[in-house]
Amino acid sequence: PVLHRYSAWTRSFFASSTDHTTLLGQAEIHKLRLDDRTTQYVLAPRGTEPAIVKSVPQLHLARLTATRTADDAHIVKDAKVVQRTLGSTAHVCQPLLQAAVADHPAPILAHSTLHGLSQWAAAQAHECDATRWEELARLFVAQEAGDESVLYTKNGGVLESILPDQDKSEFADTCRGTMAVFRLE
């Protein structure tokens, strides 16, 4: 089902990107039940039929997953801007996060990838053991260097922990598999 239409967004892009503002401004949120505990929130162009949203992920503008664990904890994760020219994860995925938070009781934990942490740490000329790596990961989050983590901090998330070797995505090598966990109230 379509949850909301967001028409109040404004975002400036360079000359040829004025269509992006219109596309985002008219985008709709779809909720796709992946199983009895997992819902994927998808931002899609206005008028896209739910069956098409479900079957053609290349048409997604952005998406985010919310899961209820076996012990009834609520986790949001995998925030991703599919059409990267639309803007940052913090900007484009914000309505998806808001919809997921509205659907799940607090507290919610947000699991964030820290893609780019390895390159950032190398640029800082830091050598790292496990303890130092966690410190650098916290600094990376605090300096808003990670795209997904900014989404959670800008929406009231409080960093709770750094988890090593948890990111299993195709970009896990850019952060040694490190993820950050935020508490959203």
Side-chain angles (χ1 to χ4, degrees):
V2 176
L3 293 182
H4 304 284
R5 296 182 200 274
Y6 285 90
S7 60
W9 284 5
T10 57
R11 178 165 173 91
S12 59
F13 285 82
F14 46 88
S16 65
S17 298
T18 55
D19 288 344
H20 290 101
T21 302
T22 302
L23 184 62
L24 282 175
Q26 296 178 356
E28 299 171 337
I29 296 175
H30 294 256
K31 285 187 352 180
L32 306 178
R33 294 291 294 180
L34 302 182
D35 59 43
D36 64 331
R37 295 186 170 274
T38 307
T39 302
Q40 188 174 59
Y41 294 81
V42 177
L43 194 63
R46 183 178 186 175
T48 307
E49 294 296 322
I52 298 295
V53 171
K54 188 171 187 170
S55 64
V56 186
Q58 297 86 349
L59 292 178
H60 299 176
L61 303 176
R63 59 182 165 251
L64 177 138
T65 303
T67 301
R68 183 173 43 90
T69 64
D71 60 352
D72 286 327
H74 298 276
I75 297 172
V76 293
K77 60 184 181 174
D78 301 330
K80 179 179 183 180
V81 178
V82 179
Q83 303 298 327
R84 294 182 185 175
T85 58
L86 294 174
S88 70
T89 301
H91 174 73
V92 178
C93 291
Q94 182 178 19
L96 298 175
L97 179 60
Q98 291 170 341
V101 167
D103 287 350
H104 295 85
I108 298 172
L109 297 179
H111 289 208
S112 172
T113 60
L114 297 177
H115 298 158
L117 173 58
S118 296
Q119 183 178 4
W120 178 85
Q124 309 295 317
H126 291 295
E127 294 182 23
C128 303
D129 60 10
T131 301
R132 181 66 178 141
W133 187 253
E134 182 175 337
E135 291 171 10
L136 288 172
R138 288 178 178 279
L139 186 58
F140 183 79
V141 169
Q143 292 185 359
E144 298 184 351
D147 200 33
E148 186 178 7
S149 61
V150 173
L151 169 66
Y152 303 127
T153 58
K154 294 288 185 190
N155 286 280
V158 176
L159 180 62
E160 284 223 334
S161 61
I162 300 294
L163 302 176
D165 302 318
Q166 295 298 306
D167 184 357
K168 306 299 182 199
S169 75
E170 62 186 300
F171 301 110
D173 62 335
T174 70
C175 61
R176 294 187 190 174
T178 306
M179 295 188 82
V181 177
F182 296 87
R183 179 171 295 275
L184 300 171
E185 297 291 337

